[in-house]
Amino acid sequence: MQRGATPIGRGARCACGPWGVRGVRGVRGIWALALVSIGCHWAGLPAVSAPDPATGSPRFREIRRHSAPAATQAVAVDGAHFYAIASQSIEKYEKSGGARVASWAGPASGPIVHLNSGIVLDGALYCAHSNFPGIPMLSSIEIFDAETLEHRGSHSFGIFGGSATWIDRWDDHWWVAFAHYQGRGGEPGKGPSWTTLVKFDAQWRRVAGFAYPSPVVAGFAGRSNSGGAWGADGLLYITGHDAAEVTVLRLPVAGSFLEVVEILPAPIEGQGIAWDRHRPGVLYGLVKRTREVVVSILDRP
């Protein structure tokens, strides 16, 4: 799928698949090229099955799930562990077997109020954080030691365009979503359509910003964009607050609105997601109602 092509609707196929050559950069680009070289089939993952047999459409297929009391906001993942993230606590688990190996909890009245999606990078867990449902909205990035979960530091945005809900590192830049809400936690006169994705350089200087198209905003159902992660294909995979689906977006050729590529069914219920960078095509998400981390794989024709 090239930039500028017509957006694809719910459940439809993207011509080049999620690991195509578009947007290839760095290590993620190496993954993409390796997969393209074998015809966009999954490398080293013999367990991958066909797409949804009922519709023939691509989907995220559940592999397994783990019980995790902190699985209420988001999940992060590295080579050997996954991290269940709650508003004021984090739990670290072994990917093989699901044993809990570390935890962190902040005081109820402490400065960390509402953690959200996180990524693990160079031995550190970076979590988007806000004062939700406080007004005015305040946001920061909270940094933890990935080994011990000790709090390392913080980068504060202060009052900056909404509540930070997810963070990722892609194309040598930081990407952070700043959410707006209808009702609780929302600012008067604003709503989900004010949600924005901001691109920062390594020194946290704003480089660019993007808005979400109206069909995506409608899918937030009064809430907002809770999770997001760049794929190895250079496409952006996002989630809302509750829906059992992942929306695939791409950067626009012109203008400020992100473009919809497709919407994929997934065995999760919104909230924060994370790609397993050590197993291409494997996505971690959660079901908040049951406090479970769900591991799934993207099946395509």
Side-chain angles (χ1 to χ4, degrees), residues 134-179:
I135 299 295
M137 296 178 175
L138 303 174
S139 295
S140 64
I141 303 300
E142 301 302 327
I143 307 166
F144 300 84
D145 186 288
E147 180 66 27
T148 65
L149 295 185
E150 178 183 359
H151 186 254
R152 274 190 184 179
S154 176
H155 174 81
S156 176
F157 296 107
I159 300 174
F160 188 95
S163 291
T165 54
W166 64 263
I167 178 174
D168 200 4
R169 180 80 178 176
W170 178 72
D171 191 26
D172 294 326
H173 287 79
W174 294 108
W175 299 77
V176 181
F178 292 89

Side-chain angles (χ1 to χ4, degrees), residues 9-235:
R10 183 183 301 268
R13 293 176 52 188
C14 177
C16 68
W19 307 99
V21 296
R22 183 189 167 281
V24 171
R25 293 176 176 88
V27 174
R28 298 181 187 179
I30 293 172
W31 292 348
L33 290 173
L35 291 168
V36 169
S37 69
I38 58 173
C40 287
H41 293 290
W42 304 114
L45 294 171
V48 176
S49 67
D52 186 346
T55 64
S57 300
R59 59 167 181 160
F60 283 95
R61 174 176 52 85
E62 182 176 330
I63 300 173
R64 61 185 175 274
R65 60 177 63 199
H66 303 275
S67 177
T72 62
Q73 294 299 322
V75 60
V77 61
D78 60 19
H81 301 91
F82 67 88
Y83 304 76
I85 302 170
S87 290
Q88 294 180 304
S89 63
I90 304 171
E91 297 168 347
K92 178 180 178 179
Y93 294 85
E94 293 178 346
K95 287 164 68 174
S96 59
R100 188 168 69 178
V101 296
S103 63
W104 171 89
S109 59
I112 294 180
V113 178
H114 191 72
L115 293 173
N116 247 302
S117 290
I119 60 166
V120 183
L121 185 66
D122 298 330
L125 171 63
Y126 295 81
C127 292
H129 170 259
S130 73
N131 67 332
F132 178 87
I135 299 295
M137 296 178 175
L138 303 174
S139 295
S140 64
I141 303 300
E142 301 302 327
I143 307 166
F144 300 84
D145 186 288
E147 180 66 27
T148 65
L149 295 185
E150 178 183 359
H151 186 254
R152 274 190 184 179
S154 176
H155 174 81
S156 176
F157 296 107
I159 300 174
F160 188 95
S163 291
T165 54
W166 64 263
I167 178 174
D168 200 4
R169 180 80 178 176
W170 178 72
D171 191 26
D172 294 326
H173 287 79
W174 294 108
W175 299 77
V176 181
F178 292 89
H180 281 267
Y181 307 95
Q182 185 93 29
R184 181 172 181 261
E187 293 184 345
K190 297 183 179 180
S193 63
W194 285 74
T195 300
T196 184
L197 174 63
V198 180
K199 177 182 180 181
F200 298 94
D201 66 13
Q203 286 73 46
W204 294 107
R205 293 173 296 209
R206 178 175 172 139
V207 174
F210 302 92
Y212 294 78
S214 57
V216 175
V217 172
F220 293 153
R223 306 304 294 168
S224 197
N225 174 204
S226 292
W230 287 98
D233 51 2
L235 296 176

